[in-house]
């Protein structure tokens, strides 16, 4: 019997962003063994679907919540694609999701660099601005170099995405996009650390001139987890490269 013609089995709570507000849940469910045993369902908020808000380090506007399914009945027409083909649906979506996250991460990092430049030009220490201190310029140099390198990488991949079909992107760009996201979130870590050192106490103050830095250092780790953790994406990027790598030897 097809899973979509009978109630979904109860399972432990999951958590997801936007869960408190959404009326529909795109959900991967197990319908058989292995990768070919996953199906994608569109589950409406109905009897048996419950959500509970979760407090996180970022804004409550994200709507992060637990989601619990208790004997939920799903109509057969709510199957997305073919039964057993849910894994492909998940994979096709990841490239664009990760690309969007890279855009947001790199843009936020650029804003932080701008804030640091302004502060270093304004702040006076022993009669000189921070910008006149070699150690501060060195920190800014590292931040700028990393941000600009990732901006260039992002624009390169974006151009390739506009020149490829959806299917070709899935084959050729899954690895590079995964590596970009992995590297981008490592870049965020370094930018956050340097920014906090430049701003000092103001970098951990929620109000005032350091508020942008405080938000950044408190929330940047979300990018390193959502859409695939750094470890998973680093491994995915190498495995994708291995698929097209010739059996070469030194």
């Amino acid at each position: 019997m097809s899973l979509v013609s009978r109630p979904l089995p109860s399972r432990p709570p999951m958590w997801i962003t936007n869960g408190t507000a959404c009326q529909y849940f795109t959900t991967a469910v197990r319908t058989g063994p292995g990768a070919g045993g996953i199906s994608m369902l569109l589950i409406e908020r109905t009897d048996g679907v419950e959500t509970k808000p979760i407090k996180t380090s970022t804004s409550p506007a994200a709507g992060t919540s637990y989601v619990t399914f208790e004997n939920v009945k799903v109509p057969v027409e709510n199957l997305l694609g073919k039964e057993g083909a849910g894994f492909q649906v998940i994979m096709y979506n990841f490239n664009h999701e990760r690309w969007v996250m890279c855009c947001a991460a790199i843009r936020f990092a650029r804003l932080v660099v701008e804030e640091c430049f302004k502060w270093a030009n304004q702040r006076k220490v022993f009669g000189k601005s921070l910008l006149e201190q070699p150690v501060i310029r060195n920190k800014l140099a590292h931040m700028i170099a990393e941000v600009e390198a990732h901006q260039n990488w992002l624009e390169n991949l974006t151009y390739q995405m506009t020149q490829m079909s959806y299917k070709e992107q899935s084959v050729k760009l899954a690895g590079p996009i995964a590596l970009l996201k992995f590297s981008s979130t490592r870049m965020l870590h370094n930018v956050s650390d340097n920014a906090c050192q430049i701003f000092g106490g103001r970098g951990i103050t929620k109000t005032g001139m350091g508020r942008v830095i405080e938000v950044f250092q408190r929330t940047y780790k979300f990018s390193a987890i959502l859409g695939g953790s750094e470890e998973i994406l680093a491994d995915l990027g190498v495995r994708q490269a291995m698929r097209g790598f010739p059996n070469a030897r030194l």
Side-chain angles (χ1 to χ4, degrees), residues 199-217:
F199 268 79
R202 285 180 173 84
I204 53 175
T205 305
K206 287 189 175 183
T207 57
M209 289 177 284
R211 62 188 181 279
V212 172
I213 309 305
E214 190 278 333
V215 170
F216 184 75
Q217 62 88 16

Side-chain angles (χ1 to χ4, degrees), residues 96 99 154-166 168-169 173:
H96 286 77
W99 176 84
L154 173 64
E155 292 178 6
N156 180 286
L157 284 177
T158 302
Y159 176 78
Q160 293 184 60
M161 291 172 73
T162 67
Q163 303 302 307
M164 295 182 184
S165 67
Y166 201 80
E168 188 178 10
Q169 291 176 40
L173 297 184

